[in-house]
Amino acid sequence: MRTYRYFLLLFWVGQPYPTFSTPLSKRTSGSPAKKRTLELSGNSKNELNRSKRSWMWNQFFLLEEYTGSDYQYVGKLHSDQDRGDGSLKYILSGDGAGDLFIINENTGDIQATKRLDREEKPVYILRAQAINRKTGRPVEPESEFIIKIHDINDNEPIFTKEVYTATVPEMSDVGTFVAQVSATDADDPTYGNSAKIVYSILQGQPYFSVESETGIIKTALLNMDRENREQYQVVIQAKDMGGQMGGLSGTTTVNITLTDVNDNPPRFPQSTYQFKTPESSPPGTPIGRIKASDADLGENADIEYSITEGEGLDVFDVITDQETQEGIITVKKLLDFEKKKVYTLKVEASNPHIEPRFLYLGPFKDSATVKIMVEDVDEPPVFSKLAYILQIREDAQINTTIGSVTAQDPDAARNPVKYSVDRHTDMDRIFNIDSGNGSIFTSKLLDRETLLWHNITVIATEINNPKQSSRVPLYIKVLDVNDNPPEFAEFYETFVCEKAKADQLIQTVRAVDKDDPYSGHQFSFSLAPEAASGSNFTIQDNKDNTAGILTRKNGYSRHEMSTYLLPVVISDNDYPVQSSTGTVTVRVCACDHQGNMQSCHAEALVHPTGLSTGALVAILLCIVTLLVTVVLFAALRRQRKKEPLIISKEDIRDNIVSYNDEGGGEEDTQAFDIGTLRNPEAIEDSKLRRDIVPEALFLPRRTPAACDNTDVRDFINQRLKENDTDPTAPPYDSLATFAYEGTGSVADSLSSLESVTTDGDQDYDYLSDWGPRFKKLADMYGGVGSDKDS
């Protein structure tokens, strides 16, 4: 059977007091009246089946901020195993054990060694245990107990901001919300009134008030005017203990600004303004400034100015300077001292932004009278018109009067005026002016076709004051006179086909005229009298300032006449009638069946069966080039070494045929006889081909000599047939000579290559007898300038 032991815990229960009037030293002296004993209850011996229970204790309190000189007594631990012989030892662990809380290990008394602050730590959890001093084993199980720090009012309320800033419109109603302040208290809000805060206003009455529980600040005075006072400093107090005596407090400052509303109309500081301006002021010139004052700010102080009444509503204007809010009086129209010297205006200043709730205060506008005096100035002469336009015929004689200009002094003195022409606008001095009466007249002859408009400037100057002058533009138009004959619009050169038919249109001509008649141009066309009767062409007037050139007969011949010059008379219908003669060049040309021009040169058809000189020279150059090429090729083949066509006949594996025959060169004269190219009749009968070794000896076939009348084509066909049937021809490509000119030419061969076979120089003097077409050849080969002399 187990034995159950009992452990007693003695502690001091600190009773809460609303004040600290009772000294702490008496409350912690261990008086029996203030000490309670908690007995650890457990199962009795008769109740063997009941389980052992842990310690049970009552929660107890300690006052914070203890200020006594002795340690503050907390309580006492005692076990029923303690016989008073010192065999047991009491130990304490947990929050602050050994530092903040100590225990007497012999007696079990617990004390607090330092001042406790609930705001730092409100609750401490400790564990107590009794152990055998000798064995170190616990005689009772470890158990926990709680020490709560009892709050005292040791913290004053603190505002969330040291300084608050708020705004409220001026003229607000009583009770208008301004701002809300808030303060906090670190004391325990669940115990007593230590953390119960009440707000009050210390400074700022009677303008503002504060709600004691919420800290909401409101307006307390009606019609607070920003223009009288704009800034307010309000001091708010927060006090704990519900505001009772002895509570702690804190303060904050609230800076309140009244914002502006449009509650003030503009006002002119004076009722009348007076300004002066010279009559020469151009439109837009500022005359003076006026300003109405407005006690409001921002857009509430914006002012608009306007002229509402007066004699100069259309002469003056007023605009608002947005930066300075001033009204600027400006000139709207030109002034004239001689017509009106004084103007009286009524100018009004008003607010564009108005709050309806302040309309009861009166109209938000004000007016003032503005007097403007016009000052007289010496003005330059004034022309009767802003510009003058005059006209004159281009055939006007010198000193012809065109018109006149007039100007006068607008001042009361009416000073005399003189006139002149600005020569920078009339460099050629075509016009002049009478300085006294302003008459414009010509000083040179005019030509409309050269210049249609003359733009000059006339100057009017006061005789008594030459500095006063004015200018006016003068536009002079030169009127047209029919002094230019019509003429062709371009140079006309056309052609007519040799096979043209009669009345066939070959060209349309058009005329132009420098003149510009009022009714427009009306030209007429006709052939000149000297060509009208025997002309091969006729002209047809189309009545639209154009005419057509028509053929009069069928067929034209270039040999008879290659070019026709057709004179055409062009006349206008203006007065006086002007006319001119233009020439149309018509060439006779050969055309195709569609009428397209092919050739217009008559010399190309003089000898239909012959050739022109240029064509003959080209043919001769081609022949010479071909002969030189053949001679060089033959010379190269003579120098070539004889090589068999097939290197090895027995080798039938390769069937390569060699064609790399370069010729024998200039020294090889045995391959071909170059004389054959020049004269086919000079071929040697017994001469064989030596470029190959024939397998069988064949005598060369003699080519019959060409007859005198043999044609080149017949000769080539004959040679082609011979080469095709020649059994001695090698089985590879070779050169076949077809260079035969024929024997029908009267001049024979002109090539110098034949001179190689001749013993002496040839005589080319007979070329001079062949006519003008061979004159150049005769000059080249005959006479003292021949190669023979060189």
Side-chain angles (χ1 to χ4, degrees):
M1 177 178 289
R2 296 182 61 181
T3 301
Y4 292 88
R5 297 179 177 85
Y6 299 92
F7 185 45
L8 298 178
L9 172 62
L10 302 178
F11 60 92
W12 174 260
V13 179
Q15 297 181 357
Y17 291 94
T19 61
F20 298 99
S21 58
T22 303
L24 292 176
S25 58
K26 294 182 179 181
R27 289 188 292 161
T28 58
S29 61
S31 172
K34 303 301 181 183
K35 185 179 297 183
R36 296 179 182 178
T37 303
L38 293 180
E39 180 180 355
L40 180 62
S41 59
N43 297 331
S44 63
K45 296 182 179 180
N46 299 326
E47 300 179 46
L48 299 177
N49 297 327
R50 187 175 181 180
S51 300
K52 181 180 179 180
R53 293 181 298 175
S54 300
W55 292 349
M56 296 183 64
W57 64 93
N58 292 331
Q59 192 177 46
F60 61 93
F61 299 86
L62 288 180
L63 289 177
E64 65 173 337
E65 303 295 343
Y66 171 70
T67 58
S69 57
D70 298 333
Y71 290 161
Q72 187 176 5
Y73 185 77
V74 178
K76 182 180 181 64
L77 294 178
H78 184 73
S79 174
D80 57 356
Q81 299 295 326
D82 190 356
R83 300 288 184 256
D85 54 1
S87 61
L88 296 182
K89 177 181 179 182
Y90 298 95
I91 58 175
L92 188 67
S93 63
D95 295 338
D99 179 19
L100 184 59
F101 301 102
I102 59 175
I103 189 171
N104 189 320
E105 60 182 13
N106 296 320
T107 64
D109 293 326
I110 302 173
Q111 291 178 311
T113 62
K114 297 180 180 179
R115 296 174 58 184
L116 302 177
D117 189 356
R118 190 200 66 83
E119 286 70 40
E120 292 183 2
K121 190 174 180 62
V123 177
Y124 294 88
I125 300 176
L126 298 173
R127 294 182 295 276
Q129 193 173 33
I131 62 175
N132 188 293
R133 189 181 294 273
K134 294 181 179 180
T135 62
R137 294 181 178 180
V139 297
E140 297 290 346
E142 184 183 59
S143 187
E144 292 181 347
F145 62 94
I146 298 175
I147 300 176
K148 291 191 67 175
I149 308 301
H150 177 62
D151 182 53
I152 64 173
N153 191 18
D154 60 342
N155 291 279
E156 72 276 4
I158 299 176
F159 283 93
T160 55
K161 293 182 181 179
E162 294 183 0
V163 178
Y164 289 83
T165 302
T167 60
V168 63
E170 64 173 332
M171 307 300 289
S172 296
D173 296 333
V174 175
T176 301
F177 175 84
V178 178
Q180 183 175 11
V181 296
S182 178
T184 58
D185 195 321
D187 293 326
D188 189 0
T190 63
Y191 176 73
N193 294 326
S194 298
K196 186 178 181 180
I197 299 174
V198 173
Y199 300 95
S200 61
I201 184 167
L202 300 182
Q203 177 182 321
Q205 295 175 333
Y207 306 103
F208 302 95
S209 63
V210 62
E211 293 183 357
S212 60
E213 296 181 358
T214 61
I216 295 177
I217 302 174
K218 297 181 180 180
T219 57
L221 188 64
L222 186 65
N223 295 332
M224 286 189 293
D225 193 357
R226 184 199 63 83
E227 287 72 33
N228 294 331
R229 182 178 178 182
E230 183 178 4
Q231 300 288 339
Y232 294 87
Q233 191 175 68
V234 179
V235 177
I236 303 297
Q237 181 190 63
K239 189 174 183 180
D240 60 10
M241 298 296 295
Q244 298 178 6
M245 187 71 68
L248 302 179
S249 63
T251 60
T252 186
T253 301
V254 183
N255 294 323
I256 302 175
T257 303
L258 296 183
T259 58
D260 185 64
V261 296
N262 191 11
D263 59 339
N264 293 280
R267 290 287 181 264
F268 281 107
Q270 60 192 69
S271 60
T272 303
Y273 295 85
Q274 188 170 336
F275 301 102
K276 295 181 180 181
T277 182
E279 62 176 335
S280 59
S281 299
T285 302
I287 298 174
R289 290 172 175 257
I290 59 176
K291 184 176 183 180
S293 59
D294 194 326
D296 296 322
L297 297 176
E299 67 174 12
N300 297 322
D302 290 345
I303 301 176
E304 290 181 350
Y305 297 90
S306 61
I307 299 176
T308 58
E309 298 178 11
E311 303 165 341
L313 284 174
D314 58 341
V315 181
F316 300 95
D317 195 7
V318 60
I319 59 176
T320 303
D321 189 335
Q322 298 298 331
E323 294 183 0
T324 62
Q325 296 299 315
E326 292 178 316
I328 305 173
I329 308 296
T330 61
V331 178
K332 191 175 181 181
K333 294 176 64 177
L334 291 175
L335 304 175
D336 191 350
F337 174 81
E338 288 71 26
K339 292 183 179 180
K340 192 170 182 61
K341 300 177 177 61
V342 179
Y343 293 89
T344 302
L345 307 175
K346 184 177 181 181
V347 180
E348 185 178 85
S350 60
N351 286 139
H353 309 288
I354 299 176
E355 293 192 24
R357 65 191 182 101
F358 297 115
L359 289 177
Y360 70 93
L361 298 176
F364 280 75
K365 59 185 178 180
D366 193 15
S367 60
T369 301
V370 178
K371 290 185 178 181
I372 301 173
M373 292 179 291
V374 181
E375 297 178 338
D376 187 25
V377 296
D378 189 5
E379 299 176 88
V382 178
F383 284 94
S384 60
K385 296 181 181 180
L386 297 178
Y388 292 86
I389 300 177
L390 303 178
Q391 295 180 345
I392 185 172
R393 288 169 56 90
E394 64 176 324
D395 59 349
Q397 300 298 319
I398 297 177
N399 294 327
T400 299
T401 301
I402 305 172
S404 63
V405 297
T406 57
Q408 62 180 2
D409 184 11
D411 299 322
R414 298 296 181 186
N415 294 323
V417 176
K418 65 177 181 179
Y419 304 93
S420 62
V421 176
D422 186 355
R423 291 305 173 187
H424 292 91
T425 61
D426 186 23
M427 302 292 291
D428 297 330
R429 295 181 176 270
I430 301 176
F431 303 96
N432 212 334
I433 189 170
D434 190 307
S435 62
N437 58 22
S439 297
I440 309 295
F441 57 89
T442 61
S443 58
K444 289 184 179 181
L445 295 177
L446 304 174
D447 185 8
R448 188 200 69 86
E449 287 71 36
T450 302
L451 187 60
L452 176 61
W453 283 92
H454 295 269
N455 303 328
I456 65 175
T457 300
V458 176
I459 305 174
T461 308
E462 291 185 12
I463 296 177
N464 298 334
N465 186 7
K467 294 183 179 180
Q468 295 296 332
S469 63
S470 58
R471 297 166 175 263
V472 68
L474 176 60
Y475 307 105
I476 301 174
K477 182 180 181 181
V478 181
L479 301 178
D480 183 49
V481 174
N482 191 26
D483 58 347
N484 291 280
E487 56 187 11
F488 279 136
E490 57 183 282
F491 174 74
Y492 289 103
E493 181 178 3
T494 185
F495 71 95
V496 62
C497 295
E498 288 183 307
K499 298 180 180 181
K501 303 296 182 181
D503 296 329
Q504 181 177 338
L505 178 65
I506 62 173
Q507 180 66 45
T508 299
V509 295
R510 184 174 60 88
V512 295
D513 194 339
K514 295 180 180 179
D515 294 324
D516 187 16
Y518 178 76
S519 59
H521 293 293
Q522 294 180 3
F523 303 132
S524 60
F525 301 85
S526 63
L527 291 177
E530 64 272 12
S533 59
S535 176
N536 292 316
F537 302 92
T538 61
I539 188 167
Q540 179 181 352
D541 194 341
N542 297 329
K543 304 302 181 180
D544 60 353
N545 296 333
T546 64
I549 307 298
L550 307 177
T551 58
R552 176 174 280 182
K553 64 176 184 175
N554 294 328
Y556 293 84
S557 176
R558 286 181 290 169
H559 306 294
E560 295 178 0
M561 191 68 175
S562 62
T563 304
Y564 294 91
L565 299 179
L566 188 64
V568 178
V569 178
I570 312 169
S571 303
D572 56 22
N573 292 328
D574 205 355
Y575 180 83
V577 176
Q578 299 285 344
S579 63
S580 66
T581 302
T583 302
V584 178
T585 302
V586 182
R587 302 177 62 189
V588 181
C589 300
C591 304
D592 57 13
H593 64 282
Q594 295 180 351
N596 298 321
M597 181 182 64
Q598 290 184 333
S599 176
C600 296
H601 298 285
E603 62 271 16
L605 300 176
V606 174
H607 300 289
T609 59
L611 297 175
S612 64
T613 303
L616 184 59
V617 173
I619 292 174
L620 291 177
L621 291 177
C622 292
I623 294 174
V624 171
T625 303
L626 180 60
L627 292 176
V628 171
T629 303
V630 172
V631 170
L632 293 177
F633 187 81
L636 291 174
R637 286 180 61 87
R638 287 190 183 133
Q639 292 185 352
R640 187 188 60 182
K641 294 182 180 181
K642 235 178 10 172
E643 294 180 0
L645 180 62
I646 300 177
I647 300 176
S648 176
K649 292 183 179 180
E650 274 38 353
D651 191 357
I652 62 174
R653 291 172 300 174
D654 295 327
N655 241 346
I656 300 176
V657 179
S658 177
Y659 290 93
N660 54 350
D661 187 4
E662 297 181 356
E666 296 181 357
E667 301 299 329
D668 185 3
T669 58
Q670 300 299 323
F672 294 98
D673 186 2
I674 197 65
T676 305
L677 300 176
R678 294 186 296 271
N679 188 5
E681 299 178 358
I683 187 172
E684 298 181 10
D685 295 342
S686 60
K687 202 165 188 178
L688 300 178
R689 296 178 60 172
R690 303 185 59 184
D691 54 341
I692 61 171
V693 180
E695 296 180 359
L697 184 58
F698 293 94
L699 294 177
R701 298 182 61 181
R702 179 182 180 87
T703 304
C707 301
D708 294 340
N709 57 355
T710 302
D711 191 9
V712 175
R713 182 177 58 185
D714 297 338
F715 171 77
I716 292 176
N717 291 334
Q718 181 183 353
R719 284 298 177 90
L720 180 60
K721 183 177 181 182
E722 292 176 356
N723 281 277
D724 289 340
T725 58
D726 188 2
T728 62
Y732 57 89
D733 293 339
S734 61
L735 178 64
T737 303
F738 296 94
Y740 177 63
E741 293 182 351
T743 57
S745 175
V746 179
D748 293 333
S749 176
L750 299 179
S751 175
S752 60
L753 294 177
E754 195 174 356
S755 62
V756 178
T757 59
T758 59
D759 297 333
D761 295 332
Q762 297 184 17
D763 185 8
Y764 296 98
D765 292 338
Y766 58 86
L767 295 174
S768 301
D769 300 333
W770 288 4
R773 299 185 180 181
F774 295 90
K775 185 175 182 306
K776 191 160 190 71
L777 286 176
D779 294 340
M780 294 173 57
Y781 289 94
V784 295
S786 64
D787 296 339
K788 178 171 57 178
D789 297 335
S790 60

